[in-house]
Amino acid sequence: MGEAAKASGIALSLHAPYFINLANPDPESLKKNTGYILASCQAADWMGATRVTVHTGALMKRTRREALDIALKSLREVMAVCDGEGYGHITLCPETMGKINQLGDLDEVLELCQLDERLLPCIDFGHLYARSLGELEGLEATVKMLDRVEELLGPDRASRFHSHFSKIAFTPNGGEKIHLTFDQEDFGPDPAPLMAELARRDWSPTIICESAGTQDVDALTMKGLYLDCIGKKAL
Ligand SMILES: [Zn+2]
């Protein structure tokens, strides 16, 4: 896979197991989670992937602050183990999560990334839209979110963040319900404001399309929107 991707000019990244919860204080659980992330780094290394996305976790009836403090401690420990095993060159990317009772709004993920200069946020814009019950979409919200990333991580890291994008349906109480395709109009977010703003800032994040089964078509739509903004013809 690594060789084929390289030959085609495709940058690979890897998603660590979905059930990882950095906010679980149980030492056995931390040991297991560290093992999963270490194995993810090893697989990433085999195929030349440079980034591993990691879920931040669940609140488990704790306050957001308590859960975040546990996750900070866990992530520090995970990084020490990964460094010790020779995977310091793999970039870990804590992800913004879509459900309200999960740790991982934008500020929480940015605080996790302040632990170490090598960390990059995985900003899932669909998740942020879903957990804010539709508030975080449109140009004004996009500008604010990207400004916040730059404010807390500095212009260099901000310009190369990791990202997932899809439309996501939400429920009024919980947030994320289900991923959608760009053709489905009931929910957002609309990809156009993000593409315009990235082009305006001349940033180069990695954006992974996570549409429900239409990743190929919708990724090309985003690429087209972006190229339109920088004044080149799509494809
Ligand atoms: Zn994820």
Side-chain angles (χ1 to χ4, degrees):
M1 264 180 82
E3 281 165 18
K6 203 173 170 193
S8 306
I10 294 171
L12 292 176
S13 60
L14 188 137
H15 202 304
Y18 281 49
F19 45 77
I20 285 173
N21 178 6
L22 293 175
N24 187 338
D26 172 42
E28 268 309 301
S29 153
L30 175 60
K31 213 171 135 190
K32 277 188 193 158
N33 285 325
T34 306
Y36 300 139
I37 295 172
L38 197 59
S40 300
C41 287
Q42 185 178 48
D45 197 41
W46 284 334
M47 59 181 192
T50 52
R51 296 176 173 186
V52 169
T53 296
V54 180
H55 283 178
T56 38
L59 295 180
M60 300 171 78
K61 298 191 175 141
R62 292 186 173 78
T63 66
R64 305 205 71 87
R65 189 64 247 176
E66 285 167 343
L68 183 56
D69 284 339
I70 297 165
L72 281 160
K73 215 171 140 217
S74 303
L75 186 56
R76 195 178 290 123
E77 167 80 22
V78 165
M79 289 194 79
V81 173
C82 290
D83 283 345
E85 295 290 325
Y87 296 114
H89 59 296
I90 304 283
T91 303
L92 297 180
C93 306
E95 180 179 357
T96 61
M97 305 301 292
K99 293 198 174 89
I100 294 165
N101 65 3
Q102 285 171 315
L103 187 67
D105 63 20
L106 183 60
D107 271 7
E108 288 161 353
V109 164
L110 294 176
E111 187 170 339
L112 283 168
C113 289
Q114 285 175 316
L115 257 188
D116 189 289
E117 284 197 346
R118 291 171 296 167
L119 293 164
L120 287 179
C122 175
I123 305 174
D124 187 316
F125 289 93
H127 282 167
L128 292 177
Y129 164 86
R131 75 176 299 142
S132 70
L133 309 181
E135 204 176 294
L136 291 179
E137 90 153 333
L139 188 59
E140 200 183 316
T142 303
V143 167
K144 264 192 199 154
M145 287 188 280
L146 298 183
D147 282 349
R148 187 74 177 146
V149 179
E150 181 164 357
E151 183 190 337
L152 293 185
L153 301 185
D156 170 55
R157 269 202 284 174
S159 71
R160 50 191 176 85
F161 66 85
H162 200 67
S163 176
H164 296 161
F165 199 99
S166 64
K167 288 188 174 179
I168 296 186
F170 58 82
T171 57
N173 294 325
E176 176 178 9
K177 189 174 159 206
I178 190 169
H179 284 229
L180 306 172
T181 70
F182 280 4
D183 279 346
Q184 290 172 285
E185 309 263 297
D186 322 3
F187 290 91
D190 173 7
L194 178 63
M195 295 303 113
E197 197 49 28
L198 292 176
R200 191 184 71 77
R201 290 171 192 239
D202 199 20
W203 285 8
S204 308
T206 296
I207 301 187
I208 315 274
C209 181
E210 289 198 341
S211 289
T214 52
Q215 293 92 327
D216 50 352
V217 185
D218 292 349
L220 270 181
T221 298
M222 281 194 278
K223 183 179 176 182
L225 287 166
Y226 178 78
L227 291 176
D228 283 348
C229 292
I230 59 169
K232 282 188 195 159
K233 248 173 69 190
L235 297 173

mmCIF file of all heavy atoms in Angstrom, residues 91-129:
data_model
loop_
_atom_site.group_PDB
_atom_site.id
_atom_site.type_symbol
_atom_site.label_atom_id
_atom_site.label_comp_id
_atom_site.label_asym_id
_atom_site.label_seq_id
_atom_site.Cartn_x
_atom_site.Cartn_y
_atom_site.Cartn_z
ATOM 1 N N THR A 91 3.185 11.483 13.639
ATOM 2 C CA THR A 91 2.425 12.569 14.267
ATOM 3 C C THR A 91 1.092 12.050 14.800
ATOM 4 O O THR A 91 0.270 11.556 14.022
ATOM 5 C CB THR A 91 2.144 13.678 13.228
ATOM 6 O OG1 THR A 91 3.397 14.131 12.708
ATOM 7 C CG2 THR A 91 1.407 14.841 13.851
ATOM 8 N N LEU A 92 0.876 12.171 16.098
ATOM 9 C CA LEU A 92 -0.419 11.790 16.669
ATOM 10 C C LEU A 92 -1.383 12.970 16.540
ATOM 11 O O LEU A 92 -1.000 14.122 16.764
ATOM 12 C CB LEU A 92 -0.269 11.393 18.134
ATOM 13 C CG LEU A 92 0.619 10.168 18.406
ATOM 14 C CD1 LEU A 92 0.689 9.884 19.904
ATOM 15 C CD2 LEU A 92 0.130 8.936 17.646
ATOM 16 N N CYS A 93 -2.630 12.669 16.169
ATOM 17 C CA CYS A 93 -3.625 13.715 15.910
ATOM 18 C C CYS A 93 -4.894 13.465 16.734
ATOM 19 O O CYS A 93 -5.787 12.713 16.295
ATOM 20 C CB CYS A 93 -3.991 13.749 14.427
ATOM 21 S SG CYS A 93 -2.592 13.916 13.299
ATOM 22 N N PRO A 94 -5.007 14.056 17.921
ATOM 23 C CA PRO A 94 -6.249 13.930 18.696
ATOM 24 C C PRO A 94 -7.415 14.555 17.924
ATOM 25 O O PRO A 94 -7.276 15.633 17.353
ATOM 26 C CB PRO A 94 -5.966 14.729 19.975
ATOM 27 C CG PRO A 94 -4.484 14.941 20.012
ATOM 28 C CD PRO A 94 -4.013 14.916 18.588
ATOM 29 N N GLU A 95 -8.562 13.831 17.925
ATOM 30 C CA GLU A 95 -9.672 14.238 17.049
ATOM 31 C C GLU A 95 -10.810 14.923 17.807
ATOM 32 O O GLU A 95 -11.158 14.522 18.920
ATOM 33 C CB GLU A 95 -10.213 12.980 16.335
ATOM 34 C CG GLU A 95 -11.375 13.288 15.384
ATOM 35 C CD GLU A 95 -11.897 12.057 14.666
ATOM 36 O OE1 GLU A 95 -11.335 10.955 14.850
ATOM 37 O OE2 GLU A 95 -12.880 12.206 13.934
ATOM 38 N N THR A 96 -11.409 15.918 17.183
ATOM 39 C CA THR A 96 -12.643 16.509 17.717
ATOM 40 C C THR A 96 -13.776 15.508 17.507
ATOM 41 O O THR A 96 -13.896 14.915 16.444
ATOM 42 C CB THR A 96 -13.011 17.828 17.001
ATOM 43 O OG1 THR A 96 -13.223 17.572 15.612
ATOM 44 C CG2 THR A 96 -11.934 18.878 17.160
ATOM 45 N N MET A 97 -14.592 15.308 18.546
ATOM 46 C CA MET A 97 -15.612 14.257 18.525
ATOM 47 C C MET A 97 -17.017 14.842 18.341
ATOM 48 O O MET A 97 -17.264 16.000 18.657
ATOM 49 C CB MET A 97 -15.550 13.448 19.818
ATOM 50 C CG MET A 97 -14.160 12.847 20.114
ATOM 51 S SD MET A 97 -13.575 11.737 18.811
ATOM 52 C CE MET A 97 -14.733 10.396 19.006
ATOM 53 N N GLY A 98 -17.947 14.000 17.859
ATOM 54 C CA GLY A 98 -19.259 14.501 17.446
ATOM 55 C C GLY A 98 -20.364 14.468 18.478
ATOM 56 O O GLY A 98 -21.405 15.096 18.303
ATOM 57 N N LYS A 99 -20.161 13.703 19.573
ATOM 58 C CA LYS A 99 -21.234 13.609 20.570
ATOM 59 C C LYS A 99 -20.912 14.508 21.754
ATOM 60 O O LYS A 99 -19.762 14.648 22.166
ATOM 61 C CB LYS A 99 -21.406 12.165 21.040
ATOM 62 C CG LYS A 99 -21.917 11.237 19.944
ATOM 63 C CD LYS A 99 -22.478 9.949 20.531
ATOM 64 C CE LYS A 99 -23.117 9.092 19.459
ATOM 65 N NZ LYS A 99 -22.172 8.173 18.818
ATOM 66 N N ILE A 100 -21.952 15.105 22.327
ATOM 67 C CA ILE A 100 -21.758 16.086 23.393
ATOM 68 C C ILE A 100 -21.113 15.449 24.626
ATOM 69 O O ILE A 100 -20.302 16.072 25.303
ATOM 70 C CB ILE A 100 -23.109 16.751 23.736
ATOM 71 C CG1 ILE A 100 -23.573 17.582 22.519
ATOM 72 C CG2 ILE A 100 -23.013 17.624 24.980
ATOM 73 C CD1 ILE A 100 -25.024 17.989 22.561
ATOM 74 N N ASN A 101 -21.466 14.181 24.915
ATOM 75 C CA ASN A 101 -20.885 13.533 26.101
ATOM 76 C C ASN A 101 -19.517 12.907 25.843
ATOM 77 O O ASN A 101 -19.009 12.144 26.647
ATOM 78 C CB ASN A 101 -21.850 12.503 26.698
ATOM 79 C CG ASN A 101 -22.088 11.338 25.755
ATOM 80 O OD1 ASN A 101 -21.487 11.271 24.681
ATOM 81 N ND2 ASN A 101 -22.961 10.430 26.129
ATOM 82 N N GLN A 102 -18.928 13.237 24.696
ATOM 83 C CA GLN A 102 -17.557 12.828 24.438
ATOM 84 C C GLN A 102 -16.630 14.009 24.708
ATOM 85 O O GLN A 102 -17.004 15.167 24.487
ATOM 86 C CB GLN A 102 -17.384 12.391 22.972
ATOM 87 C CG GLN A 102 -17.987 11.024 22.669
ATOM 88 C CD GLN A 102 -17.976 10.740 21.181
ATOM 89 O OE1 GLN A 102 -18.333 11.581 20.362
ATOM 90 N NE2 GLN A 102 -17.563 9.537 20.819
ATOM 91 N N LEU A 103 -15.424 13.701 25.162
ATOM 92 C CA LEU A 103 -14.397 14.725 25.260
ATOM 93 C C LEU A 103 -14.002 15.072 23.826
ATOM 94 O O LEU A 103 -14.044 14.226 22.954
ATOM 95 C CB LEU A 103 -13.198 14.144 26.017
ATOM 96 C CG LEU A 103 -12.087 15.125 26.358
ATOM 97 C CD1 LEU A 103 -12.572 16.149 27.373
ATOM 98 C CD2 LEU A 103 -10.879 14.366 26.924
ATOM 99 N N GLY A 104 -13.615 16.322 23.571
ATOM 100 C CA GLY A 104 -13.141 16.606 22.223
ATOM 101 C C GLY A 104 -13.915 17.662 21.486
ATOM 102 O O GLY A 104 -14.241 17.483 20.314
ATOM 103 N N ASP A 105 -14.229 18.791 22.180
ATOM 104 C CA ASP A 105 -14.644 19.945 21.381
ATOM 105 C C ASP A 105 -13.350 20.604 20.887
ATOM 106 O O ASP A 105 -12.244 20.131 21.196
ATOM 107 C CB ASP A 105 -15.563 20.900 22.168
ATOM 108 C CG ASP A 105 -14.898 21.542 23.375
ATOM 109 O OD1 ASP A 105 -13.657 21.572 23.433
ATOM 110 O OD2 ASP A 105 -15.624 22.016 24.283
ATOM 111 N N LEU A 106 -13.470 21.683 20.119
ATOM 112 C CA LEU A 106 -12.253 22.231 19.494
ATOM 113 C C LEU A 106 -11.225 22.665 20.533
ATOM 114 O O LEU A 106 -10.048 22.324 20.441
ATOM 115 C CB LEU A 106 -12.609 23.396 18.561
ATOM 116 C CG LEU A 106 -11.414 23.990 17.802
ATOM 117 C CD1 LEU A 106 -10.734 22.948 16.910
ATOM 118 C CD2 LEU A 106 -11.834 25.194 16.959
ATOM 119 N N ASP A 107 -11.663 23.396 21.558
ATOM 120 C CA ASP A 107 -10.715 23.887 22.558
ATOM 121 C C ASP A 107 -10.050 22.747 23.337
ATOM 122 O O ASP A 107 -8.876 22.834 23.686
ATOM 123 C CB ASP A 107 -11.410 24.853 23.528
ATOM 124 C CG ASP A 107 -11.342 26.285 23.017
ATOM 125 O OD1 ASP A 107 -10.886 26.486 21.868
ATOM 126 O OD2 ASP A 107 -11.741 27.203 23.758
ATOM 127 N N GLU A 108 -10.831 21.688 23.610
ATOM 128 C CA GLU A 108 -10.252 20.545 24.336
ATOM 129 C C GLU A 108 -9.164 19.871 23.508
ATOM 130 O O GLU A 108 -8.094 19.521 24.019
ATOM 131 C CB GLU A 108 -11.366 19.560 24.722
ATOM 132 C CG GLU A 108 -12.246 20.095 25.846
ATOM 133 C CD GLU A 108 -13.601 19.407 25.969
ATOM 134 O OE1 GLU A 108 -13.954 18.578 25.096
ATOM 135 O OE2 GLU A 108 -14.326 19.722 26.930
ATOM 136 N N VAL A 109 -9.425 19.717 22.226
ATOM 137 C CA VAL A 109 -8.420 19.086 21.353
ATOM 138 C C VAL A 109 -7.191 19.993 21.215
ATOM 139 O O VAL A 109 -6.056 19.519 21.231
ATOM 140 C CB VAL A 109 -9.046 18.748 19.977
ATOM 141 C CG1 VAL A 109 -7.978 18.476 18.931
ATOM 142 C CG2 VAL A 109 -9.966 17.547 20.123
ATOM 143 N N LEU A 110 -7.428 21.294 21.121
ATOM 144 C CA LEU A 110 -6.285 22.217 20.997
ATOM 145 C C LEU A 110 -5.453 22.214 22.277
ATOM 146 O O LEU A 110 -4.223 22.304 22.223
ATOM 147 C CB LEU A 110 -6.768 23.633 20.656
ATOM 148 C CG LEU A 110 -7.414 23.759 19.270
ATOM 149 C CD1 LEU A 110 -7.957 25.170 19.061
ATOM 150 C CD2 LEU A 110 -6.431 23.405 18.157
ATOM 151 N N GLU A 111 -6.118 22.084 23.433
ATOM 152 C CA GLU A 111 -5.350 22.010 24.679
ATOM 153 C C GLU A 111 -4.513 20.731 24.714
ATOM 154 O O GLU A 111 -3.348 20.749 25.137
ATOM 155 C CB GLU A 111 -6.277 22.087 25.908
ATOM 156 C CG GLU A 111 -5.469 22.178 27.203
ATOM 157 C CD GLU A 111 -6.290 22.502 28.447
ATOM 158 O OE1 GLU A 111 -7.409 23.051 28.316
ATOM 159 O OE2 GLU A 111 -5.800 22.194 29.550
ATOM 160 N N LEU A 112 -5.081 19.626 24.252
ATOM 161 C CA LEU A 112 -4.301 18.380 24.171
ATOM 162 C C LEU A 112 -3.082 18.579 23.266
ATOM 163 O O LEU A 112 -1.987 18.109 23.576
ATOM 164 C CB LEU A 112 -5.175 17.241 23.618
ATOM 165 C CG LEU A 112 -6.185 16.619 24.588
ATOM 166 C CD1 LEU A 112 -7.169 15.728 23.831
ATOM 167 C CD2 LEU A 112 -5.478 15.808 25.678
ATOM 168 N N CYS A 113 -3.266 19.292 22.171
ATOM 169 C CA CYS A 113 -2.168 19.487 21.218
ATOM 170 C C CYS A 113 -1.083 20.419 21.755
ATOM 171 O O CYS A 113 0.029 20.444 21.233
ATOM 172 C CB CYS A 113 -2.700 20.020 19.886
ATOM 173 S SG CYS A 113 -3.624 18.775 18.977
ATOM 174 N N GLN A 114 -1.430 21.189 22.797
ATOM 175 C CA GLN A 114 -0.414 22.074 23.379
ATOM 176 C C GLN A 114 0.596 21.313 24.241
ATOM 177 O O GLN A 114 1.610 21.853 24.645
ATOM 178 C CB GLN A 114 -1.090 23.176 24.192
ATOM 179 C CG GLN A 114 -1.718 24.226 23.274
ATOM 180 C CD GLN A 114 -2.503 25.276 24.045
ATOM 181 O OE1 GLN A 114 -3.262 24.957 24.952
ATOM 182 N NE2 GLN A 114 -2.322 26.536 23.681
ATOM 183 N N LEU A 115 0.325 20.022 24.485
ATOM 184 C CA LEU A 115 1.253 19.176 25.253
ATOM 185 C C LEU A 115 2.624 19.082 24.597
ATOM 186 O O LEU A 115 3.642 19.009 25.263
ATOM 187 C CB LEU A 115 0.694 17.749 25.314
ATOM 188 C CG LEU A 115 0.021 17.241 26.558
ATOM 189 C CD1 LEU A 115 -0.252 15.762 26.385
ATOM 190 C CD2 LEU A 115 0.849 17.494 27.809
ATOM 191 N N ASP A 116 2.618 19.009 23.261
ATOM 192 C CA ASP A 116 3.868 18.771 22.546
ATOM 193 C C ASP A 116 3.757 19.395 21.160
ATOM 194 O O ASP A 116 2.718 19.277 20.509
ATOM 195 C CB ASP A 116 4.096 17.256 22.416
ATOM 196 C CG ASP A 116 5.485 16.925 21.883
ATOM 197 O OD1 ASP A 116 5.751 17.177 20.685
ATOM 198 O OD2 ASP A 116 6.300 16.398 22.657
ATOM 199 N N GLU A 117 4.825 20.030 20.726
ATOM 200 C CA GLU A 117 4.790 20.740 19.440
ATOM 201 C C GLU A 117 4.589 19.828 18.247
ATOM 202 O O GLU A 117 4.244 20.282 17.161
ATOM 203 C CB GLU A 117 6.102 21.504 19.259
ATOM 204 C CG GLU A 117 6.174 22.751 20.099
ATOM 205 C CD GLU A 117 7.258 23.685 19.626
ATOM 206 O OE1 GLU A 117 8.108 23.244 18.827
ATOM 207 O OE2 GLU A 117 7.242 24.849 20.062
ATOM 208 N N ARG A 118 4.811 18.519 18.443
ATOM 209 C CA ARG A 118 4.648 17.603 17.307
ATOM 210 C C ARG A 118 3.190 17.212 17.074
ATOM 211 O O ARG A 118 2.843 16.714 16.011
ATOM 212 C CB ARG A 118 5.480 16.335 17.528
ATOM 213 C CG ARG A 118 6.975 16.581 17.445
ATOM 214 C CD ARG A 118 7.737 15.353 17.897
ATOM 215 N NE ARG A 118 7.480 15.066 19.301
ATOM 216 C CZ ARG A 118 7.805 13.918 19.905
ATOM 217 N NH1 ARG A 118 8.374 12.956 19.230
ATOM 218 N NH2 ARG A 118 7.542 13.741 21.189
ATOM 219 N N LEU A 119 2.345 17.402 18.073
ATOM 220 C CA LEU A 119 0.938 16.999 17.927
ATOM 221 C C LEU A 119 0.206 17.931 16.964
ATOM 222 O O LEU A 119 0.448 19.132 16.941
ATOM 223 C CB LEU A 119 0.251 17.033 19.292
ATOM 224 C CG LEU A 119 0.739 16.000 20.314
ATOM 225 C CD1 LEU A 119 0.285 16.391 21.713
ATOM 226 C CD2 LEU A 119 0.226 14.611 19.950
ATOM 227 N N LEU A 120 -0.694 17.362 16.169
ATOM 228 C CA LEU A 120 -1.563 18.161 15.298
ATOM 229 C C LEU A 120 -3.009 17.802 15.605
ATOM 230 O O LEU A 120 -3.319 16.627 15.849
ATOM 231 C CB LEU A 120 -1.289 17.845 13.817
ATOM 232 C CG LEU A 120 0.002 18.359 13.194
ATOM 233 C CD1 LEU A 120 0.076 17.899 11.738
ATOM 234 C CD2 LEU A 120 0.088 19.878 13.270
ATOM 235 N N PRO A 121 -3.914 18.770 15.581
ATOM 236 C CA PRO A 121 -5.319 18.423 15.800
ATOM 237 C C PRO A 121 -5.895 17.730 14.569
ATOM 238 O O PRO A 121 -5.547 18.085 13.443
ATOM 239 C CB PRO A 121 -5.982 19.788 16.009
ATOM 240 C CG PRO A 121 -5.122 20.751 15.246
ATOM 241 C CD PRO A 121 -3.720 20.207 15.327
ATOM 242 N N CYS A 122 -6.763 16.719 14.790
ATOM 243 C CA CYS A 122 -7.594 16.203 13.703
ATOM 244 C C CYS A 122 -8.944 16.888 13.875
ATOM 245 O O CYS A 122 -9.717 16.521 14.765
ATOM 246 C CB CYS A 122 -7.737 14.691 13.760
ATOM 247 S SG CYS A 122 -8.882 14.096 12.498
ATOM 248 N N ILE A 123 -9.178 17.914 13.074
ATOM 249 C CA ILE A 123 -10.420 18.684 13.206
ATOM 250 C C ILE A 123 -11.479 18.054 12.309
ATOM 251 O O ILE A 123 -11.391 18.122 11.089
ATOM 252 C CB ILE A 123 -10.194 20.158 12.826
ATOM 253 C CG1 ILE A 123 -9.042 20.741 13.656
ATOM 254 C CG2 ILE A 123 -11.479 20.962 13.028
ATOM 255 C CD1 ILE A 123 -8.647 22.140 13.255
ATOM 256 N N ASP A 124 -12.450 17.399 12.936
ATOM 257 C CA ASP A 124 -13.556 16.822 12.180
ATOM 258 C C ASP A 124 -14.680 17.858 12.177
ATOM 259 O O ASP A 124 -15.367 18.056 13.184
ATOM 260 C CB ASP A 124 -13.996 15.503 12.832
ATOM 261 C CG ASP A 124 -15.031 14.776 11.986
ATOM 262 O OD1 ASP A 124 -15.965 15.451 11.490
ATOM 263 O OD2 ASP A 124 -14.919 13.554 11.816
ATOM 264 N N PHE A 125 -14.828 18.557 11.044
ATOM 265 C CA PHE A 125 -15.781 19.671 10.980
ATOM 266 C C PHE A 125 -17.226 19.187 11.076
ATOM 267 O O PHE A 125 -18.088 19.892 11.600
ATOM 268 C CB PHE A 125 -15.549 20.495 9.706
ATOM 269 C CG PHE A 125 -14.275 21.286 9.752
ATOM 270 C CD1 PHE A 125 -13.094 20.773 9.238
ATOM 271 C CD2 PHE A 125 -14.244 22.534 10.355
ATOM 272 C CE1 PHE A 125 -11.906 21.486 9.300
ATOM 273 C CE2 PHE A 125 -13.068 23.260 10.434
ATOM 274 C CZ PHE A 125 -11.894 22.739 9.903
ATOM 275 N N GLY A 126 -17.493 17.984 10.579
ATOM 276 C CA GLY A 126 -18.830 17.405 10.727
ATOM 277 C C GLY A 126 -19.141 17.151 12.194
ATOM 278 O O GLY A 126 -20.256 17.416 12.669
ATOM 279 N N HIS A 127 -18.155 16.641 12.921
ATOM 280 C CA HIS A 127 -18.345 16.406 14.354
ATOM 281 C C HIS A 127 -18.611 17.711 15.105
ATOM 282 O O HIS A 127 -19.491 17.774 15.965
ATOM 283 C CB HIS A 127 -17.087 15.748 14.945
ATOM 284 C CG HIS A 127 -16.977 14.280 14.660
ATOM 285 N ND1 HIS A 127 -15.825 13.564 14.861
ATOM 286 C CD2 HIS A 127 -17.900 13.386 14.210
ATOM 287 C CE1 HIS A 127 -16.030 12.288 14.542
ATOM 288 N NE2 HIS A 127 -17.265 12.158 14.133
ATOM 289 N N LEU A 128 -17.840 18.754 14.784
ATOM 290 C CA LEU A 128 -18.022 20.034 15.492
ATOM 291 C C LEU A 128 -19.397 20.632 15.172
ATOM 292 O O LEU A 128 -20.059 21.205 16.039
ATOM 293 C CB LEU A 128 -16.903 21.017 15.124
ATOM 294 C CG LEU A 128 -15.509 20.625 15.628
ATOM 295 C CD1 LEU A 128 -14.459 21.628 15.147
ATOM 296 C CD2 LEU A 128 -15.478 20.531 17.155
ATOM 297 N N TYR A 129 -19.818 20.469 13.929
ATOM 298 C CA TYR A 129 -21.155 20.912 13.521
ATOM 299 C C TYR A 129 -22.223 20.149 14.312
ATOM 300 O O TYR A 129 -23.168 20.738 14.849
ATOM 301 C CB TYR A 129 -21.309 20.661 12.017
ATOM 302 C CG TYR A 129 -22.726 20.688 11.489
ATOM 303 C CD1 TYR A 129 -23.318 21.890 11.113
ATOM 304 C CD2 TYR A 129 -23.462 19.511 11.355
ATOM 305 C CE1 TYR A 129 -24.619 21.908 10.623
ATOM 306 C CE2 TYR A 129 -24.754 19.522 10.863
ATOM 307 C CZ TYR A 129 -25.326 20.726 10.501
ATOM 308 O OH TYR A 129 -26.603 20.740 10.019
#
